Amino acid sequence: MFVLGIDPGLSRCGYGCVEHGRKPRAVAAGVIRTDPDLDRPARLAEVQREVRALISELSPDVVAVERVLFQHNALTAMSVGMVSGIVMVEAVSAGCSVVEYSPNEVKQAVAGWGGADKEEVSQMVQTLLGMPERLKPADVADAVAVALCHVAHIPSRRVAGARR
Amino acid sequence: MFVLGIDPGLSRCGYGCVEHGRKPRAVAAGVIRTDPDLDRPARLAEVQREVRALISELSPDVVAVERVLFQHNALTAMSVGMVSGIVMVEAVSAGCSVVEYSPNEVKQAVAGWGGADKEEVSQMVQTLLGMPERLKPADVADAVAVALCHVAHIPSRRVAGARR
């Protein structure tokens, strides 16, 4: 089973695809960037095209999206929410299951406690996936952490259905 | 020129299409509702399908969306933002221009001042379009008001290019 984690954002939207098996394996990870000189609708359309291409290429079973909470910067949070909505409908259109996890749930699942900082999350992502280096930028590690959070929520009996 | 106004929302998403001419004319107005028993991704996908069908049917030149502000209910505001983002990318995909107006800009343009209440906006929409009755529910009148707000921002020389 492939789980695509998304850390939504308009400037940088992190993605990380993990295969659920006896040991989780990173399949793809990266960041979608949009041109800050474009207006918001055009940037959202860029994200939509990239996410659609990504889902088409990776064929994830599940798309796990980090739930957007209200942050200090209200304008940023709203753009993040827009990206999140677009990711969800693209996933539904492609026939994927869609789940949302709060930042605390992601930190809890990956680092063991909901108050973990970005550094700890990034370190744990590296360890869990047995990678030689940290994933950068932080948005990529965060997206992979969202995917790993979903993997941690899958009942272990379902490992039998792992793909490949 | 056709302007499709959208008052975004997950439970009720109002829409109103106005033709820009010597006198604005209502072309279509209504509300997209989603099943509250479905989860958020499924409801967002419903809105996407309906909005896509609407844009395809009406072929607006411009889609004008009411800008989402942070309201008392943070969860509701985030769902509204998601719908707003989906509407924008559907409009961009269909080749429409996309503009956003704040609630105050809409009230200012339609009712003459930014502090107008829903009742005044609804009354002015009825008057401006010469309709025998008020548009209901309020989401529909609000959506038409967004379209009328954009019409009010179009330089008058462009009336010459009005369609039909």
XYZ file of all heavy atoms in Angstrom, chain B residues 4 16 42 48 54 56 81 86 99 107 110 121 140 148-149 153 158:
124
model
N -19.676 35.341 -12.982
C -20.233 34.377 -12.034
C -19.716 34.713 -10.640
O -18.511 34.671 -10.384
C -19.821 32.956 -12.420
C -20.261 31.826 -11.486
C -21.793 31.748 -11.400
C -19.697 30.490 -11.946
N -24.223 33.106 -8.403
C -25.103 34.017 -9.125
C -24.374 34.539 -10.339
O -23.268 35.057 -10.227
N -15.130 14.196 0.642
C -16.222 13.828 -0.264
C -17.125 15.025 -0.552
O -17.594 15.214 -1.685
C -17.031 12.676 0.327
N -16.809 20.514 -6.073
C -15.989 20.621 -7.282
C -16.779 20.205 -8.531
O -16.772 20.889 -9.543
C -14.734 19.741 -7.151
C -13.803 19.852 -8.358
C -12.694 18.812 -8.337
O -12.907 17.667 -7.945
N -11.514 19.208 -8.748
N -21.320 23.950 -13.503
C -21.876 25.300 -13.583
C -21.058 26.172 -14.534
O -21.606 26.874 -15.388
C -21.831 25.898 -12.169
C -22.755 27.033 -11.812
C -24.203 26.613 -11.966
C -22.498 27.447 -10.353
N -19.066 25.148 -16.857
C -19.198 24.598 -18.199
C -20.501 25.051 -18.843
O -20.559 25.399 -20.029
C -19.127 23.075 -18.107
O -19.557 22.489 -19.301
N -12.579 28.263 3.132
C -11.357 28.534 2.377
C -11.058 27.424 1.376
O -10.670 27.684 0.238
N -10.945 25.633 -4.349
C -11.415 24.716 -5.392
C -12.143 25.487 -6.495
O -11.937 25.238 -7.688
C -12.317 23.632 -4.761
C -11.451 22.699 -3.910
C -13.099 22.867 -5.821
C -12.236 21.855 -2.918
N -11.254 36.787 -9.797
C -11.014 37.933 -8.914
C -11.614 37.631 -7.545
O -12.563 36.860 -7.423
C -11.652 39.230 -9.463
C -10.817 39.803 -10.605
C -13.085 38.986 -9.908
N -20.161 44.775 -0.077
C -21.222 45.607 0.516
C -21.115 47.050 0.042
O -22.118 47.692 -0.268
C -21.116 45.554 2.047
C -21.480 44.203 2.628
C -21.159 44.191 4.126
C -21.177 42.789 4.699
N -20.617 42.783 6.072
N -22.389 47.281 -3.582
C -23.803 46.976 -3.832
C -24.728 47.877 -3.013
O -25.736 48.368 -3.520
C -24.084 45.485 -3.531
C -25.572 45.193 -3.587
C -23.328 44.610 -4.508
N -28.165 44.247 1.720
C -27.523 43.703 0.516
C -28.567 42.997 -0.342
O -28.661 43.209 -1.560
C -26.382 42.723 0.898
C -25.917 41.915 -0.319
C -25.210 43.482 1.508
N -27.513 33.026 -1.878
C -27.719 33.321 -3.299
C -27.605 34.822 -3.540
O -26.911 35.276 -4.454
C -29.101 32.798 -3.770
C -29.286 33.082 -5.254
C -29.236 31.313 -3.490
N -22.181 41.436 -8.881
C -22.496 42.854 -9.110
C -21.337 43.747 -8.674
O -21.083 44.792 -9.283
C -23.768 43.243 -8.352
C -25.073 42.684 -8.931
C -26.238 42.937 -7.971
C -25.375 43.300 -10.306
N -20.628 43.333 -7.639
C -19.449 44.074 -7.180
C -18.411 44.105 -8.288
O -17.835 45.153 -8.585
C -18.881 43.421 -5.914
S -17.309 44.124 -5.345
N -16.894 47.253 -10.831
C -15.470 47.574 -10.976
C -15.002 47.560 -12.433
O -13.840 47.851 -12.713
C -14.612 46.585 -10.162
C -14.597 46.901 -8.695
N -15.637 46.559 -7.859
C -13.695 47.544 -7.910
C -15.347 46.956 -6.628
N -14.185 47.557 -6.634
N -16.018 49.262 -21.272
C -16.031 47.844 -21.651
C -17.441 47.315 -21.860
O -17.616 46.196 -22.302
C -15.307 47.014 -20.597
C -13.815 47.310 -20.592
C -13.068 46.422 -19.654
N -13.239 44.998 -19.981
C -12.715 44.026 -19.240
N -12.049 44.334 -18.146
N -12.897 42.769 -19.586
